[in-house]
Amino acid sequence: MEQNTLSMELEILYLDEYFCAINKPAGLMVHKSRVARDVKTFAMQELRNQLDRYVYPVHRLDRATSGILLFALSPEDCTLAQQMITDRKITKKYWTVLRGYTPEEGEIDKALTSEFNDTPKESLTIYKKLEQQESPFKVSERYPACRTSLVEAQPITGRTHQLRQHFAKIRHYIIGDNKHGDHKLNKGFKSEVGVENMLLHARSLTFIHPHSRENVHIEAPLPDYYSEILDKLGYQYHQQ
């Protein structure tokens, strides 16, 4: 369930003198926003307090998305890392559960707009299917069982809600996505399977460290509720 306050410290996945990566819980916003004026707790504020120093978000994750969130520990390194993202030198991969059986792999090359800019921008996502399952849950009046795919997705560009919009455009909606997903299906998954959160998790982040030149690969464990949902649906891949 989405949250406004934290009951424990943020999980730190990576920390050196330049960068820090956390495993952001679903429901936690990255920083203050005019679209959620009532929220009092933010990842940036919590991490600053935890490390007792200023931190600078290199990128952002949707409030409903869990997983790896990278911070820089100086404005200069934040600018450097953001340029690496622009230059596609940082690879981000997400795990998500989609409606139906997807192709084994594919790419979605569809321009996207956002609520702040209605000019379509080039957008590209590549993905591969990790596993598919037919599970004995009647989440839709049309079918006696539900078919889903566990997919690893990599956004090549970085548009607002890119994965959510792209999978909606090919009608393989992200389960639990209340903005771009299938609302009736989400209702069925909530009542029959117990899905309370959007099943989108920033699973890994890889880059060449701009200072040490070492390869950095960070992975974020799935939240407990996510693993429990996968277990209910019969998935095995996440247990390997």
Side-chain angles (χ1 to χ4, degrees):
M1 184 175 296
E2 292 191 357
Q3 55 190 28
N4 286 333
T5 59
L6 290 175
S7 58
M8 62 183 68
E9 289 190 334
L10 294 167
E11 179 184 4
I12 293 178
L13 303 170
Y14 177 88
L15 177 63
D16 65 15
E17 59 185 301
Y18 307 103
F19 300 105
C20 179
I22 66 167
N23 192 0
K24 186 187 84 68
L28 180 65
M29 296 191 68
V30 176
H31 47 60
K32 293 181 180 180
S33 169
R34 65 179 183 271
V35 301
R37 299 179 185 277
D38 59 323
V39 177
K40 305 299 182 184
T41 305
F42 309 92
M44 191 170 85
Q45 169 194 6
E46 293 296 313
L47 185 60
R48 179 193 66 194
N49 295 340
Q50 196 166 320
L51 298 179
D52 194 26
R53 64 181 298 173
Y54 285 107
V55 296
Y56 307 85
V58 172
H59 61 108
R60 62 184 300 276
L61 291 178
D62 296 339
R63 182 178 182 179
T65 303
S66 60
I68 298 174
L69 181 61
L70 184 66
F71 290 86
L73 302 184
S74 73
E76 295 79 14
D77 283 316
C78 185
T79 300
L80 182 60
Q82 288 175 339
Q83 186 60 49
M84 290 171 65
I85 291 178
T86 300
D87 294 340
R88 301 181 183 177
K89 294 180 178 179
I90 294 181
T91 300
K92 296 182 284 183
K93 294 183 179 180
Y94 294 72
W95 278 18
T96 187
V97 181
L98 306 178
R99 183 190 79 163
Y101 291 168
T102 69
E104 292 301 314
E105 59 183 24
E107 66 175 45
I108 309 169
D109 184 3
K110 296 180 182 293
L112 298 174
T113 60
S114 74
E115 58 188 301
F116 306 111
N117 188 337
D118 59 3
T119 301
K121 292 186 177 181
E122 173 192 5
S123 305
L124 176 63
T125 297
I126 60 176
Y127 67 90
K128 67 176 181 179
K129 181 166 58 182
L130 304 177
E131 190 178 343
Q132 65 183 35
Q133 286 291 339
E134 181 172 274
S135 311
F137 296 103
K138 188 175 176 60
V139 298
S140 169
E141 292 298 323
R142 297 176 61 188
Y143 305 105
C146 65
R147 291 181 173 183
T148 56
S149 298
L150 175 63
V151 165
E152 181 181 81
Q154 180 183 341
I156 304 302
T157 51
R159 309 306 180 202
T160 301
H161 294 181
Q162 177 171 317
L163 297 181
R164 300 166 70 174
Q165 291 194 72
H166 266 171
F167 285 120
K169 286 183 179 295
I170 63 171
R171 300 185 62 80
H172 287 293
Y173 302 102
I174 294 177
I175 303 303
D177 184 352
N178 291 322
K179 184 175 180 63
H180 302 284
D182 183 315
H183 299 296
K184 289 184 178 179
L185 193 67
N186 287 340
K187 185 176 180 180
F189 269 94
K190 182 175 181 178
S191 63
E192 298 297 320
V193 192
V195 176
E196 298 279 352
N197 297 277
M198 180 173 66
L199 297 181
L200 180 61
H201 179 72
R203 177 67 167 166
S204 70
L205 188 148
T206 306
F207 61 96
I208 301 297
H209 199 292
H211 297 289
S212 70
R213 307 310 301 171
E214 295 179 347
N215 184 65
V216 176
H217 178 74
I218 307 168
E219 290 194 356
L222 294 173
D224 289 343
Y225 66 81
Y226 201 133
S227 294
E228 290 169 3
I229 294 299
L230 292 181
D231 287 340
K232 284 184 180 181
L233 295 174
Y235 283 97
Q236 304 294 321
Y237 192 93
H238 68 294
Q239 299 173 359
Q240 298 176 10

